Amino acid sequence: MDYTAFIDINSLTEEARKELESFYEYLVFKYKKKIKRKTDEENKKEQFFRFVENHSYNLPENYKFNREELHER
């Protein structure tokens, strides 16, 4: 697209200028890049998995997780 030719706004009527400005604002709104913001829950989950990736845990061979033992106090 050739951007060297610009619209001569001075050649337009006041009504046409307002309509052009309104249409321009509509296009800017419609095609504005959408930025997805992460929720706090997504941030916490991401931090947790990053932490797990960066730390290695060496469990004994054939280790079994026992839910009852974990919950004993």
Side-chain angles (χ1 to χ4, degrees), residues 27 39 51:
L27 290 176
T39 63
F51 175 82

Side-chain angles (χ1 to χ4, degrees), residues 38 40-57:
K38 291 184 180 179
D40 285 342
E41 185 177 326
E42 289 172 328
N43 282 333
K44 288 177 184 176
K45 190 183 289 186
E46 188 177 292
Q47 286 176 344
F48 172 75
F49 285 115
R50 208 176 309 127
F51 175 82
V52 170
E53 285 176 358
N54 293 332
H55 295 80
S56 62
Y57 299 97

Side-chain angles (χ1 to χ4, degrees), residues 4-49:
T4 57
F6 293 97
I7 298 172
D8 182 12
I9 294 179
N10 295 328
S11 66
L12 300 174
T13 65
E14 187 65 29
E15 183 181 350
R17 285 184 212 156
K18 287 180 182 176
E19 190 173 336
L20 183 61
E21 181 181 358
S22 174
F23 182 65
Y24 171 76
E25 289 172 359
Y26 163 75
L27 290 176
V28 168
F29 172 77
K30 182 177 178 183
Y31 294 105
K32 189 184 306 184
K33 287 188 177 182
K34 292 183 172 66
I35 300 171
K36 183 182 181 258
R37 305 259 183 215
K38 291 184 180 179
T39 63
D40 285 342
E41 185 177 326
E42 289 172 328
N43 282 333
K44 288 177 184 176
K45 190 183 289 186
E46 188 177 292
Q47 286 176 344
F48 172 75
F49 285 115

